Amino acid sequence: MENRIRALRKSLGLSQEELAKGCGVSRQTINAIENNKYDPSLALAFHLAREMGFDNINMDLIVGLPGEEKAD
């Protein structure tokens, strides 16, 4: 699974620490997620989305499965 957390976080000007605090996890957890060493639970994925300002989100913005092609 490929994630887009780092790119989204950086585009919002958030540090790993800021995002971690907002989600109630450690900075190391955010780092592990961004480096594909830890897959967040569904609950944490939705919390990450909310912290980055996505209330109604298609999870494909956050995670994309390898080999999946996006529909036009």
Side-chain angles (χ1 to χ4, degrees), residues 12-63:
L12 295 169
L14 292 172
S15 69
Q16 286 182 340
E17 185 70 29
E18 291 167 327
L19 182 57
K21 283 183 181 179
C23 291
V25 298
S26 70
R27 184 203 56 78
Q28 290 85 352
T29 298
I30 299 299
N31 184 272
I33 292 168
E34 289 183 354
N35 288 298
N36 294 309
K37 295 183 183 210
Y38 175 75
D39 289 327
S41 66
L42 187 57
L44 179 53
F46 279 108
H47 202 118
L48 287 164
R50 280 194 309 272
E51 284 300 312
M52 291 188 286
F54 299 101
D55 291 327
N56 297 311
I57 185 164
N58 176 338
M59 285 306 289
D60 198 37
L61 288 174
I62 299 251
V63 288

Side-chain angles (χ1 to χ4, degrees), residues 3-13 34 52 61:
N3 75 65
R4 298 176 179 106
I5 302 297
R6 177 177 287 135
L8 290 169
R9 176 183 59 77
K10 285 186 172 187
S11 74
L12 295 169
E34 289 183 354
M52 291 188 286
L61 288 174

